[in-house]
Every structure is written in C-alpha cells, then in structure tokens.
Amino acid sequence: MMDHLANTEINSQRIAAVENCFGASGQPLALPGRVLLGEGILTKECRKKPKPRIFFLFNDILVYGSIVINKRKYNSQHIIPLEDVTLETLPDTLQMKNRWMIKTSKKSFVVSAASLTERKEWISHLEECIKHLLTKTGRQPCTEHAAPWIPDKATDICMRCTQTKFSTLTRRHHCRKCGFVVCADCSRQRFLMPRLSPKPLRVCNLCYRQLLADKKKEAEADRRQAEPIRSAIQGYEPSSGDDSDKSDDEKAEQWPADTEFYTSEVSWSSFHS
C-alpha cells in the first residue's frame, strides 16, 4: 500500500494539507517516497497533566503537535524518525486507559487512545512501518532510550531524598537521566549527554555520580586499549636494531536509578503509601 500511494496526487494533497495546518512554524513534510498513512488524536501524558495531541503517521516519521483548531491549525510540531522508535504497552491507571509508551533516544513519553481497538491499530501500524524501515536500511532496533518524565502529580515529595515536600515555593525538577521528580538540593548538578542535548542537562545527585563513574570507566577502557600502541611506539628504536626486553606489564539511596516505573504494576499513588 505504501509503494502504491507514494507518488499519487491524493497523497501529495494530504501531506500539503498537514503542512498547511502547521503553517510557517512547522517544517516541510513532503519528500519523495513519503506516504501519509493515517492520523488521529491521542492523549499525551505531559509534565503537568494529560493533554490531547494530534498525531500523523507517515511511512518513515511520526509527527505530532498541539491542537489550536482541529483540522485547521496546529503548532509545536515534533518529528520523530520511526527508525528510532520502540513501543511498549502499559497497564491502565485510574486516570488513563489504553496506554503505551513511545520510546526514542532523545525523548520518551506515554500516550493513550480512546479505545483498546484504537490502541491496537496504532501499535500495529507503527510496528509495521518500523519493521519495514529497519529491513530496508539494515539497521538494528534502537536499544538506548531517553527516560520518560514522571508526571508532577505522581508524587508530593522528592523521589530521591524522600524528605522535601513540594509546594508553590518549592519547585519540582526532573532528572534528565532517570526522569524522577526531584527537589533542587537533589539535582544541583549538570552533565553533558550528547545523545539528548549539546548542552549539559540537570541530573539528580545519584545519576550524576553514576554518570561520572561510567565516564571514568570509559576513559580507563580507552587508556588500556591505547596502552599497547603507546608501548609499541615507545619501545621502537630504529637506530639500534635491538629487540626490546621491556615487560608488557609496565597496571545507599532510597530510590534506585534503574527502577522501572512505567512497567510496574504498582500505581504512582502507591509509591509513598
């Protein structure tokens, strides 16, 4: 179906209509071989509260944005390459049903459909497009994903120290590594994560220590890998012609960072009970 629609006039008209709805604030979407397969309104779990968002599924990208006037005007356009997407179904909560997570290397978030059938259709079409793209490009599925942000209302206290209570004067912050809701004292550090941003991002104290440890391990691994090369260069004496006789040997947190909240059967409201 995708190949059949790729160069048709109706497909070009549908894509042009989407571009027109986003206006000058959106990016051009028409490309050779790109097909608009479907669209619909899904509820996206945002930081403050769930909000309706318009989603457009193409054969190579997923586009979504905020609704100003349905079918007439949208803004805050986001474009996600489908090669970077992994899907995960989630259990229902009291507030939202028919949920699943869209995970990418730069951003992960939860959406919900109006019905179970609608969720199955979205996931089925997304998985088909992703499989087709990966087969076409020969790439492997993405394994590193950004942590989804825990919604503000999920907790009234800092998820690291479990002491600070949030209020109108005590702000909530989010760790960009684990997605936890944390207080200012527990998230004073910044760390450069090029996969997410060219600028250092706010991280909680525990993630900061882990990131530093990982960086130290990587540096040590690089040093050990380069050591034989340096030794070979230093031991090489072209003027003497002698072989070298040198030896080759010249060598308690409350909330664990790897906690999986969105795959847990425990509701958010139960965390602090």
Side-chain angles (χ1 to χ4, degrees):
M1 182 185 70
M2 288 185 284
D3 294 335
H4 176 70
L5 292 173
N7 299 308
T8 62
E9 182 64 24
I10 185 64
N11 180 62
S12 299
Q13 291 175 356
R14 292 173 67 194
I15 294 177
V18 175
E19 290 180 331
N20 186 58
C21 286
F22 279 105
S25 64
Q27 297 184 37
L29 298 173
L31 282 180
R34 177 169 289 169
V35 179
L36 176 58
L37 299 174
E39 64 182 81
I41 296 176
L42 299 172
T43 300
K44 180 177 178 289
E45 291 188 6
C46 300
R47 175 176 177 176
K48 298 294 184 182
K49 62 179 181 179
K51 298 177 181 179
R53 294 287 185 262
I54 184 68
F55 281 79
F56 297 95
L57 175 60
F58 294 80
N59 59 334
D60 61 336
I61 57 174
L62 181 66
V63 178
Y64 73 92
S66 301
I67 303 171
V68 181
I69 304 174
N70 192 27
K71 297 188 179 297
R72 291 182 59 187
K73 185 175 181 180
Y74 308 121
N75 60 20
S76 302
Q77 184 191 74
H78 297 266
I79 300 177
I80 303 175
L82 289 182
E83 290 178 324
D84 194 32
V85 171
T86 302
L87 307 176
E88 179 184 347
T89 56
L90 300 174
D92 293 345
T93 65
L94 293 176
Q95 294 79 20
M96 297 182 67
K97 301 184 183 301
N98 311 310
R99 305 160 66 235
W100 77 95
M101 187 185 298
I102 298 174
K103 300 190 290 186
T104 78
S105 60
K106 294 184 177 297
K107 184 176 184 178
S108 299
F109 55 92
V110 176
V111 294
S112 65
S115 67
L116 182 60
T117 299
E118 186 178 334
R119 181 179 75 169
K120 288 181 179 179
E121 290 179 350
W122 268 103
I123 291 178
S124 175
H125 290 306
L126 280 164
E127 288 179 339
E128 182 180 354
C129 291
I130 293 168
K131 181 180 178 180
H132 182 268
L133 272 176
L134 293 178
T135 301
K136 183 178 179 180
T137 61
R139 286 183 52 183
Q140 294 298 314
C142 183
T143 56
E144 292 189 31
H145 306 109
W149 284 17
I150 307 298
D152 285 0
K153 292 185 178 180
T155 179
D156 291 328
I157 62 174
C158 173
M159 298 175 74
R160 280 303 179 205
C161 67
T162 68
Q163 301 297 321
T164 301
K165 186 174 179 62
F166 298 119
S167 65
T168 53
L169 298 179
T170 305
R171 286 188 57 202
R172 291 171 169 84
H173 298 280
H174 279 83
C175 171
R176 270 58 169 182
K177 179 66 171 64
C178 66
F180 279 22
V181 184
V182 291
C183 65
D185 287 341
C186 288
S187 60
R188 294 190 179 280
Q189 305 295 341
R190 301 290 188 279
F191 198 89
L192 180 62
M193 294 180 281
R195 182 167 52 87
L196 300 181
S197 171
K199 298 180 180 180
L201 301 175
R202 178 188 293 270
V203 293
C204 68
N205 297 341
L206 178 60
C207 285
Y208 181 73
R209 292 195 295 270
Q210 291 180 333
L211 287 166
L212 282 181
D214 291 342
K215 185 176 181 180
K216 185 176 180 181
K217 288 180 181 178
E218 291 177 3
E220 181 64 17
D222 291 342
R223 186 192 66 78
R224 290 179 179 177
Q225 187 175 9
E227 188 61 33
I229 299 176
R230 287 198 296 267
S231 298
I233 295 174
Q234 292 171 359
Y236 178 58
E237 299 176 4
S239 60
S240 66
D242 295 334
D243 293 334
S244 174
D245 293 327
K246 293 182 180 180
S247 169
D248 290 336
D249 295 331
E250 294 181 31
K251 167 187 167 200
E253 296 288 344
Q254 292 289 336
W255 295 80
D258 58 353
T259 301
E260 295 286 349
F261 284 93
Y262 281 101
T263 56
S264 172
E265 296 296 330
V266 181
S267 66
W268 292 328
S269 60
S270 300
F271 286 165
H272 307 302
S273 59

